[in-house]
Amino acid sequence: MYWLSFKKQKEPIVTGLILPGGGARNAYQAGVLKAIGDMLPEDASNPFPVICGSSSGALNAVLLASSAARFQEGVDRLYGIWANFHVGKVFRTDPLTAIKSGLRWGLAFAGGGLFWQQPRSILDNSPLRGLLERHIRFARIQQAIDSGDLRAVAVTASGYSSGMSVTFFQGIKELLPWKRTRRTGKPEELTLDHLMASSAIPVLFPAVRLRNEYYGDGSMRSTAPLSPALHLGANRLLVIGVRNPRLDLVPEADADSPYPTFGHISGYIFDTLFMDSLDADIERMRRINHTITETRNKQVNYKDSSLHQVDYLVISPSRDVRDIVARYVDNFPRSVRVLLKGIGALTREGRPLMSYLMFDAPYCKELMELGYQDALDSREQIMHLLGYEEMADKQD
C-alpha cells in the first residue's frame, strides 16, 4: 500500500475507483470494497462517482455501478458472488468438453488448419455469460447516472484489428470521447458483450465481436490504466491491485534453476498482461506529481492542457497470492488438474498461472478476507481519500 498526503481541494472531490484485471485474484477487490462499505455510515452514498475496470476487474466495476444507488447492498452482492464461486461458473470443466478441446487443437496443429477449423479458444466460458446475465441489471446503470449516484462507469477492451485499447464508457452527457496514442474512449451504453470482451483472456477465452471488430482482454493494450478515470472527471483515485509489490529473489549464481515450463511461462505472461502496465502508470503518475509539487504554481502546462497533481491510494495484497493458491490446488476439477499438470502449472513455478484460474470459493474467500483486513489496516488513508476526515481516526 502506498499513498500521497491529500491536499485540500477547491473543487468537489470526485473519487475514481480503478479495478484492474487479475482473473480469480479479483476476489481480493471484493474484500477491500466490503471493508470500505463497513467503514462508511449506513446512509452513505456511493463514494466512487467514477468506476473503471478491465478484464475480470470490469465485472466487479459494472456490478458495482449497477448498484451505485445502494452502494453497501451492491458491495454485499459482489462479496456474495465471489464467496460462492467455483470453476464451473466461469468455464466448462466436464471431461467431454476437455477432450473435445484437446482434440480440436491437436487436429488444427497437425493439419495446419487444412482439415479442421481452427478453434476459437482453449476454454468455453459460456457459464460466465450466464452468471453475469443473472446478477447484473444493466438498466440500473443509467438509472444511477440519472439520479446522480454515478458519474460514469468504464470498461476497457483491446481491438484485435485496430490494435487500439478502447475504453467504452457510460456516463453523464457532459463527458466527451478522447483519443490518444493507441487508446481511445467511446461513449456507449454498456452491455454484457462489453464485459465478455474485456475479460476475454487471449487464447483461453474466445474474442467477442462489438460492431465491426473483435475484442479481447482489456489489459492487453492498456498502457495507461489510470487514464480513463481522469478523462471521466476523477480528481482522486483508489487503485485496488491484486499483486503483492515485493520483488522476487534472483537465484544464486550457482543455483540449479530448472528450465521454465509452459505453465511457468504462462504465469509470467499473465503477470505482464495484468500487472505491469498498472505499475508503470502508477510510477509515471508519481513522477508527474513530484514534478508538479516542485513548480511555483503547482501546475505544468502541456500542449493545450495543464497537468495537475492527482492524489491517490493503492491497496494491494500484503501477502503473496502465489503462496495462498498452493493450498487449494486439489480443489481444481480433475479435468483441469490433468491439463495444468501437463503444462507444468502444478509446480511452485506454475503457481502464478494457478492463482489466476482458481475460481473456487475457499480460495476466493481467503483472498477476500485478506483484502478486508488490508483495507482495515489502511482505514485512515481510505477515509481521508473519500473525504471523511472526521471519521478517519475513529474505530468501530
Side-chain angles (χ1 to χ4, degrees):
M1 182 273 293
Y2 42 93
W3 65 302
L4 291 179
S5 58
F6 303 115
K7 63 183 186 299
K8 291 184 178 180
Q9 296 187 169
K10 296 180 181 179
E11 68 274 15
I13 293 174
V14 180
T15 305
L17 177 64
I18 310 292
L19 300 174
R25 293 188 183 196
N26 283 88
Y28 176 84
Q29 296 173 347
V32 173
L33 291 167
K34 180 69 167 66
I36 293 173
D38 290 346
M39 292 176 196
L40 297 177
E42 292 185 3
D43 59 347
S45 58
N46 172 32
F48 305 111
V50 176
I51 305 175
C52 302
S54 60
S55 194
S56 49
L59 313 184
N60 289 346
V62 171
L63 194 147
L64 203 60
S66 68
S67 303
R70 297 179 296 277
F71 175 73
Q72 291 180 330
E73 180 182 319
V75 167
D76 288 340
R77 288 180 58 228
L78 181 63
Y79 195 94
I81 291 172
W82 282 100
N84 292 282
F85 246 130
H86 60 78
V87 176
K89 288 186 176 181
V90 180
F91 53 87
R92 295 182 62 181
T93 61
D94 59 283
L96 182 58
T97 298
I99 292 171
K100 285 182 178 179
S101 178
L103 286 174
R104 288 194 189 102
W105 281 94
L107 290 171
F109 278 120
L114 296 176
F115 309 110
W116 195 273
Q117 184 178 7
Q118 180 177 317
R120 295 196 169 192
S121 64
I122 293 176
L123 300 174
D124 177 358
N125 65 341
S126 56
L128 178 61
R129 176 178 283 272
L131 176 72
L132 297 177
E133 281 181 328
R134 293 191 297 272
H135 286 282
I136 298 179
R137 300 292 179 265
F138 287 89
R140 292 181 181 176
I141 294 176
Q142 190 59 48
Q143 293 172 6
I145 294 169
D146 294 339
S147 67
D149 292 300
L150 184 68
R151 178 181 174 87
V153 56
V155 168
T156 300
S158 302
Y160 280 116
S161 297
S162 64
M164 295 284 287
S165 173
V166 181
T167 297
F168 300 98
F169 67 88
Q170 184 174 348
I172 60 175
K173 295 180 180 179
E174 292 79 5
L175 296 175
L176 300 175
W178 66 87
K179 189 169 185 179
R180 299 292 185 269
T181 303
R182 290 290 179 182
R183 52 190 173 92
T184 184
K186 294 183 178 181
E188 200 162 306
E189 183 176 345
L190 297 182
T191 67
L192 182 56
D193 283 338
H194 290 95
L195 289 190
M196 296 302 293
S198 182
S199 59
I201 300 174
V203 182
L204 285 184
F205 297 149
V208 177
R209 188 180 181 91
L210 298 172
R211 295 191 178 182
N212 62 333
E213 187 175 5
Y214 279 98
Y215 287 84
D217 196 284
S219 300
M220 284 190 289
R221 286 279 187 175
S222 184
T223 56
L226 305 182
S227 173
L230 301 178
H231 280 291
L232 296 173
N235 50 31
R236 289 186 175 184
L237 300 179
L238 174 64
V239 183
I240 307 179
V242 293
R243 176 166 66 182
N244 186 290
R246 288 199 311 259
L247 296 177
D248 293 330
L249 297 176
V250 178
E252 298 292 338
D254 57 348
D256 184 18
S257 300
Y259 189 84
T261 64
F262 183 77
H264 186 185
I265 295 172
S266 298
Y268 186 93
I269 292 173
F270 276 26
D271 270 355
T272 303
L273 175 68
F274 291 127
M275 314 294 178
D276 287 1
S277 292
L278 176 65
D279 290 345
D281 206 21
I282 291 172
E283 182 179 351
R284 181 163 50 243
M285 186 170 66
R286 282 177 14 202
R287 289 200 304 268
I288 292 173
N289 280 343
H290 177 72
T291 301
I292 291 172
T293 58
E294 295 297 312
T295 62
R296 180 174 298 178
N297 59 357
K298 308 301 181 186
Q299 181 174 308
V300 175
N301 293 322
Y302 177 73
K303 293 184 179 180
D304 298 327
S305 61
S306 60
L307 301 177
H308 300 274
Q309 181 176 331
V310 176
D311 294 330
Y312 68 96
L313 173 65
V314 179
I315 298 179
S316 55
S318 57
R319 291 160 50 202
D320 197 323
V321 176
R322 295 171 297 183
D323 294 336
I324 296 174
V325 76
R327 295 194 291 274
Y328 300 100
V329 175
D330 291 340
N331 291 14
F332 273 121
R334 181 176 177 81
S335 59
V336 179
R337 282 206 312 274
V338 170
L339 173 63
L340 293 176
K341 185 175 181 179
I343 62 175
L346 299 187
T347 63
R348 178 179 178 82
E349 292 74 20
R351 287 178 188 173
L353 178 59
M354 291 190 294
S355 70
Y356 292 112
L357 299 179
M358 180 60 78
F359 291 94
D360 187 69
Y363 170 66
C364 292
K365 286 179 181 177
E366 184 164 348
L367 289 186
M368 288 192 293
E369 291 168 1
L370 178 61
Y372 191 94
Q373 186 57 52
D374 286 348
L376 292 183
D377 292 341
S378 304
R379 176 192 172 93
E380 181 179 349
Q381 296 93 325
I382 290 173
M383 299 305 279
H384 273 294
L385 178 78
L386 300 181
Y388 287 89
E389 287 85 356
E390 72 283 358
M391 296 180 61
D393 299 322
K394 293 182 181 179
Q395 300 295 323
D396 294 333

